[in-house]
């Protein structure tokens, strides 16, 4: 039997808040296979976003094991963690777009730090913006786009390095119902193409669309693992 794409065992995460330790994760065990569509649910403070950050190599566990693609990553040096992050696309509730940059420039930005030549960066950004239905908004800035359009720019940016994994933290949280449905369909289409999709959400209707729902409470998985 092949090893899961992502596997955490006994993972804890403790933060210091005003000098007081806060346990965000309390011994989490979870395995996610390549190509799965998983929703992480739970109330605010349940640990779901912290777990997503650990899965995405954005944060290190305080203790425990995290294996990504068969490699133990919990204790990797920063440059190695950065290398692993390049294989993961991130979509967050805040769009995190550069306000003065065009849609093309926002999408192309990650490639700039990878040494990709300008012409190739631009071509890749245009390709992805057309893929997410924004071929007529290439030179628009965030203030000239609706919330749903901004999130589609963010999805295109997440895809620019051709990741096999998409990690999404409340991707529809700032959107109205129509834009939410459009972004959800886009993410699910990307999953159908073979990408692993993990979504943190408070939206029960969105969670119900996933192949597996993981419920969290007080830093622990209470259902679905």
């Amino acid at each position: 039997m092949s090893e899961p794409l992502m596997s955490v065992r006994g993972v804890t995460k403790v933060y210091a808040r005003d000098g007081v330790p806060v346990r965000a994760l309390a011994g989490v065990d979870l395995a996610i296979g390549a190509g799965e569509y998983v929703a992480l649910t739970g109330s605010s403070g349940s640990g779901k976003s912290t777990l997503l950050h650990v899965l995405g190599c954005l944060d290190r566990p305080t203790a425990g094991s995290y294996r990504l693609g068969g490699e133990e990553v919990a204790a990797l040096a920063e440059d190695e963690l950065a290398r692993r992050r390049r294989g993961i696309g991130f979509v967050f509730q805040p769009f995190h777009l550069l306000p003065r940059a065009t849609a093309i420039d926002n999408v192309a930005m990650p490639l700039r730090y990878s040494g990709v030549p300008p012409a190739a960066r631009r071509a890749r950004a245009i390709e992805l913006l057309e893929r997410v239905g924004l071929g007529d908004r290439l030179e628009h800035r965030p203030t000239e786009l609706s919330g749903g359009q901004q999130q589609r720019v963010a999805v295109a940016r997440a895809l620019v390095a051709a990741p096999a994994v998409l990690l999404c933290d409340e991707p529809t949280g700032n959107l109205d119902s129509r834009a939410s449905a459009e972004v959800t369909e886009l993410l699910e289409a990307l999953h159908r193409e073979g990408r692993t999709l993990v979504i943190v959400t408070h939206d029960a209707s969105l969670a119900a669309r996933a192949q597996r729902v993981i419920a969290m409470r007080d830093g622990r998985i209470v259902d679905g693992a």
Side-chain angles (χ1 to χ4, degrees):
M1 186 174 180
S2 61
E3 183 170 356
L5 176 64
M6 295 179 280
S7 176
V8 295
R9 301 290 296 176
V11 162
T12 66
K13 181 63 184 179
V14 179
Y15 296 101
R17 186 176 299 163
D18 297 326
V20 178
V22 175
R23 188 180 294 270
L25 297 176
V28 172
D29 295 334
L30 177 64
I32 297 174
E36 273 202 87
Y37 176 8
V38 176
L40 297 176
T41 67
S43 60
S44 295
S46 62
K48 57 190 185 300
S49 290
T50 301
L51 177 56
L52 195 80
H53 285 200
V54 170
L55 293 175
C57 301
L58 296 172
D59 210 348
R60 297 175 183 273
T62 303
S65 168
Y66 174 36
R67 295 180 66 82
L68 175 60
E71 180 182 16
E72 178 62 55
V73 299
L76 287 179
E78 279 300 324
D79 60 338
E80 286 298 305
L81 277 180
R83 176 179 63 83
R84 297 316 305 260
R85 282 194 292 270
R86 286 195 286 271
I88 300 170
F90 300 94
V91 181
F92 300 101
Q93 181 175 352
F95 311 128
H96 295 312
L97 301 179
L98 298 175
R100 298 184 179 180
T102 65
I104 290 175
D105 290 339
N106 267 291
V107 173
M109 185 61 66
L111 297 180
R112 181 177 182 179
Y113 300 109
S114 301
V116 177
R121 295 199 303 263
R122 181 178 175 85
R124 175 66 172 160
I126 292 172
E127 172 192 350
L128 288 169
L129 286 165
E130 291 175 343
R131 170 70 176 83
V132 302
L134 293 176
D136 59 344
R137 298 288 189 272
L138 301 178
E139 300 293 344
H140 285 57
R141 290 171 173 76
T143 55
E144 300 169 319
L145 300 171
S146 68
Q149 289 170 336
Q150 289 183 67
Q151 191 63 298
R152 281 189 274 162
V153 173
V155 171
R157 181 184 57 196
L159 295 173
V160 75
V165 179
L166 282 175
L167 302 182
C168 308
D169 196 348
E170 298 286 358
T172 62
N174 283 339
L175 306 180
D176 61 28
S177 58
R178 179 177 177 179
S180 176
E182 291 173 350
V183 169
T184 297
E185 174 53 36
L186 172 59
L187 292 172
E188 291 180 347
L190 295 169
H191 166 254
R192 289 192 294 271
E193 292 173 3
R195 292 175 180 84
T196 304
L197 178 61
V198 182
I199 294 180
V200 164
T201 183
H202 284 99
D203 186 339
S205 62
L206 174 56
R209 299 171 68 98
Q211 295 170 333
R212 184 158 54 119
V213 179
I214 308 295
M216 299 190 68
R217 184 172 62 240
D218 299 330
R220 299 179 185 275
I221 291 176
V222 294
D223 191 32

